[in-house]
């Protein structure tokens, strides 16, 4: 379960093939992209701090909701909904571990309004010739960790994020192509419903 906690405590994404971007993207452009990303679904690959790899499907419904369905052998489910994050281990079948969403960097992406220009939120904003990389944190809660967001342009796309928690552990999540036309009902994000399905 440690790797799933790290996913929540430090969020990171990378992609296998990154299209070239013409120039460094501004924080305003990146904030605008995240704010218009209302619903999306796609595959992901997670690289854990210990080098192990997991795969699955990610669903996002902003504001405030996300779902990570892990493929076997992991058999795990992570839900963000109602201001909480719940981590289910389907192998055990017990009640999930639950945390306030606001205690995780995931809250930065899922916020109703994302403003990366906010004072103290972005601690690094760089361009490597292909991607724009932003390191962000909650300026009121710097102790909860940071998230590196990797974007490409033409058009702007979120390609990768890397989460670092207060112990220095890193988790990288690599996103496949996101289907932004996906229709994702509220109930698939329900923590209560997922708990009931355990019974």
């Amino acid at each position: 379960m440690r790797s799933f906690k790290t996913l929540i405590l430090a969020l990171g994404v990378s992609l296998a093939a990154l299209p070239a971007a013409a120039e460094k993207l501004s924080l305003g452009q990146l904030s605008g992209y995240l704010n218009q990303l209302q619903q999306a679904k796609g595959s992901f690959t997670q690289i854990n701090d210990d080098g192990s790899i997991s795969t699955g499907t990610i669903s996002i419904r902003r504001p405030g909701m996300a779902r990570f369905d892990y493929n076997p052998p992991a058999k795990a489910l992570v839900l963000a909904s109602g201001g909480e994050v719940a981590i289910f281990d389907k192998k055990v079948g017990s009640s999930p571990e639950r945390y306030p969403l606001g205690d995780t960097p995931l809250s930065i992406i899922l916020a109703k309004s994302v403003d990366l220009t906010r004072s103290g939120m972005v601690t690094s904003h760089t361009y490597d010739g292909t991607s724009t990389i932003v390191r962000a944190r909650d300026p009121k809660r710097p102790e909860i960790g940071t998230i590196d967001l990797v974007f490409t342009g033409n058009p702007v796309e979120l390609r990768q994020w890397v989460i670092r928690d207060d112990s220095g552990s890193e988790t990288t999540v690599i996103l496949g192509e996101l289907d932004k036309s996906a229709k994702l009902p509220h109930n698939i994000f329900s923590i209560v419903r997922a708990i009931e399905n355990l019974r």
Side-chain angles (χ1 to χ4, degrees), residues 30-46:
L30 301 179
S31 297
Y33 165 82
L34 291 172
N35 284 322
Q36 62 81 35
L37 185 64
Q38 296 300 305
Q39 297 189 53
K41 183 176 183 178
S43 62
F44 74 89
T45 299
Q46 177 178 315

Side-chain angles (χ1 to χ4, degrees), residues 30-125:
L30 301 179
S31 297
Y33 165 82
L34 291 172
N35 284 322
Q36 62 81 35
L37 185 64
Q38 296 300 305
Q39 297 189 53
K41 183 176 183 178
S43 62
F44 74 89
T45 299
Q46 177 178 315
I47 304 172
N48 304 309
D49 190 60
D50 62 2
S52 61
I53 296 175
S54 305
T55 61
T57 301
I58 181 173
S59 302
I60 298 171
R61 180 165 180 154
R62 299 183 58 259
M65 291 180 282
R67 178 183 177 113
F68 297 81
D69 287 285
Y70 288 80
N71 296 327
K75 289 189 175 181
L77 171 66
V78 175
L79 291 174
S81 181
E84 284 189 287
V85 175
I87 302 170
F88 295 80
D89 186 343
K90 296 180 181 179
K91 291 180 181 179
V92 177
S94 59
S95 297
E97 297 183 47
R98 300 169 80 166
Y99 307 91
L101 177 59
D103 287 353
T104 76
L106 185 59
S107 62
I108 294 173
I109 294 177
L110 297 180
K112 184 175 182 180
S113 178
V114 178
D115 182 7
L116 295 175
T117 67
R118 180 179 164 199
S119 177
M121 176 168 283
V122 171
T123 61
S124 178
H125 179 205

Side-chain angles (χ1 to χ4, degrees), residues 50 91 102 132 140 148 164:
D50 62 2
K91 291 180 181 179
T132 299
K140 295 181 180 179
D148 287 2
R164 295 177 181 85

